[in-house]
């Protein structure tokens, strides 16, 4: 699992927000050092393939640069960054027609086949089952599951990020986890 | 468990980083371009204004100058030279000159 989200204010953040050109560019490079791969991983789990994840990651990084001055510190910086990444991912998923399948089983089969033929997927069979099941979740449920399970984000932060109550988030996460668990268990028993 | 069982094409992060840095640095140049364009426009306007022929007649000056700023002495001189200043207005012209 990933490390707990960093709730402190990064040392380069003031320069990223209000620095002169050179200072802002240096701060942005420091931001990229800390966040680039982490954001890509989040986007990859949300989008399910490298090409879409690369596009969403790039949009997110540029948005962070443009909007850094608007970060007011009402949430942690990591929550703010994940908010941007999640919104970009959800927007991209909305545009992507193939995510409009309704049945979880069908979505799982499609995601499983796609991951199996994905040369850039390096997981074992259990990981393949897990990621296929995650990819089969409805986008918003997938977002909550990824942030909680992989990023270990507290429900309070996810609630800030998604603008929903902690209660409904916990229910959504529990529902998603149960669905994934039962599906992965059943699939692994079959193999 | 490995949190990200994914790989990326060779050099992906370095290439994307370069693309992102290029994209974020571009707006600065755009801003400079807009500023340079505005400066050129202002300079052009100034040049156009400055490029007008200076007035050499009272009629031109009357056209170009607010009434209260008209140089009365000049008008007096020009009109008297041309013999166009009516006698009955001489008195009021003297008052204005004082």
């Amino acid at each position: 699992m990933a490390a707990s989200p960093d709730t402190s204010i990064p040392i380069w953040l003031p320069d990223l927000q209000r620095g002169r050109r050179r200072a802002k560019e240096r701060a942005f490079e420091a931001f990229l050092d800390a966040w680039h791969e982490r954001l890509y991983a989040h986007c990859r789990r949300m989008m399910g393939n490298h090409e879409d994840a690369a596009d969403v990651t790039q949009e997110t990084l540029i948005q962070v640069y443009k909007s850094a001055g608007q970060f007011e510190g009402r949430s942690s910086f990591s929550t703010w960054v994940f908010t941007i990444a999640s919104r970009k991912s959800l927007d991209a998923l909305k545009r992507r027609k193939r995510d409009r399948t309704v049945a979880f089983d069908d979505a799982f089969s499609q995601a499983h086949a796609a991951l199996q033929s994905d040369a850039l997927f390096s997981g074992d069979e259990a990981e393949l089952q897990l990621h296929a099941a995650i990819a089969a979740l409805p986008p918003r449920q997938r977002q909550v599951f990824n942030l909680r399970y992989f990023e270990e984000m507290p429900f309070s932060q996810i609630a800030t990020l998604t603008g929903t109550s902690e209660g409904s988030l916990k229910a959504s996460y529990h529902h998603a986890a149960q669905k994934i668990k039962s599906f992965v268990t059943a699939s692994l028993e079959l193999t | 468990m490995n949190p990200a069982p994914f790989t990326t094409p060779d050099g992906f992060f370095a290439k994307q980083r370069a693309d992102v840095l290029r994209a974020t640095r571009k707006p600065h140049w755009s801003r400079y371009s807009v500023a340079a364009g505005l400066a050129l426009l202002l300079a052009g306007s100034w040049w156009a204004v400055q490029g007008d022929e200076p007035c050499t007649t009272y009629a031109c000056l009357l056209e170009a100058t607010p009434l209260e700023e008209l140089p009365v002495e000049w008008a007096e001189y020009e009109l008297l030279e041309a013999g166009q200043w009516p006698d009955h207005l001489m008195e009021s012209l003297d008052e204005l000159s004082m």
Side-chain angles (χ1 to χ4, degrees):
Chain A
M1 289 217 185
S4 297
D6 181 13
T7 53
S8 61
I9 298 292
I11 193 166
W12 37 261
L13 184 57
D15 278 343
L16 185 61
Q17 292 184 285
R18 295 177 295 276
R20 294 174 72 95
R21 192 163 66 94
R22 289 280 175 215
K24 183 167 180 164
E25 283 172 7
R26 277 198 301 272
F28 187 58
E29 294 210 26
F31 163 78
L32 290 174
D33 290 342
W35 278 89
H36 192 176
E37 292 189 27
R38 186 174 175 189
L39 278 176
Y40 171 81
H42 176 69
C43 294
R44 181 77 180 259
R45 285 190 287 262
M46 284 297 292
M47 303 307 298
N49 68 71
H50 168 72
E51 285 74 23
D52 291 343
D55 288 346
V56 173
T57 303
Q58 184 150 335
E59 286 176 25
T60 302
L61 296 173
I62 292 171
Q63 190 67 53
V64 167
Y65 180 86
K66 285 181 179 170
S67 307
Q70 292 165 24
F71 172 67
E72 295 170 343
R74 282 183 289 188
S75 63
S76 72
F77 182 70
S78 64
T79 303
W80 183 75
V81 173
F82 275 118
T83 302
I84 294 173
S86 297
R87 283 185 189 162
K88 295 279 181 195
S89 300
L90 291 176
D91 286 349
L93 287 168
K94 257 186 225 168
R95 293 195 297 266
R96 201 168 74 177
K97 288 180 182 172
R98 65 175 177 269
D99 264 46
R100 290 178 188 162
T101 46
V102 281
F104 185 82
D105 294 24
D106 292 343
F108 177 84
S109 301
Q110 283 177 20
H112 190 276
L115 283 174
Q116 243 176 349
S117 60
D118 186 348
L120 298 172
F121 184 80
S122 57
D124 57 19
E125 181 57 27
E127 286 172 323
L128 194 147
Q129 301 283 351
L130 171 66
H131 285 274
I134 292 169
L137 291 171
R140 287 188 179 280
Q141 213 170 39
R142 191 184 320 167
Q143 174 194 31
V144 173
F145 184 84
N146 283 336
L147 290 170
R148 178 65 188 157
Y149 184 77
F150 292 105
E151 297 297 333
E152 297 181 326
M153 192 178 276
F155 282 114
S156 58
Q157 279 188 46
I158 304 175
T160 306
L161 189 155
T162 55
T164 40
S165 71
E166 275 190 58
S168 63
L169 280 177
K170 284 177 184 172
S172 176
Y173 177 78
H174 180 72
H175 189 63
Q178 285 300 111
K179 205 188 285 185
I180 289 169
K181 190 177 170 185
S182 61
F183 221 83
V184 170
T185 308
S187 299
L188 287 174
E189 279 170 1
L190 286 174
T191 56
Chain B
M1 181 182 282
N2 177 6
F6 308 110
T7 57
T8 54
D10 284 345
F12 164 71
F13 286 110
K15 186 185 174 302
Q16 185 166 66
R17 184 186 180 103
D19 289 345
V20 168
L21 288 174
R22 203 176 306 120
T24 54
R25 284 167 191 181
K26 207 172 0 176
H28 292 294
W29 291 108
S30 301
R31 236 176 280 150
Y32 288 138
S33 303
V34 169
L38 277 174
L40 273 176
L41 190 68
L42 286 173
S45 307
W46 182 83
W47 184 259
V49 169
Q50 294 300 308
D52 283 348
E53 288 287 311
C55 282
T56 54
T57 64
Y58 183 72
C60 167
L61 201 64
L62 187 65
E63 194 72 31
T65 314
L67 191 59
E68 61 274 13
E69 290 176 17
L70 287 176
V72 175
E73 295 83 0
W74 189 23
E76 184 182 355
Y77 172 79
E78 261 209 358
L79 292 173
L80 283 175
E81 279 290 297
Q84 291 173 352
W85 197 261
D87 291 340
H88 67 275
L89 289 179
M90 286 300 288
E91 194 179 333
S92 54
L93 192 63
D94 286 340
E95 283 170 12
L96 276 171
S97 304
M98 289 171 72

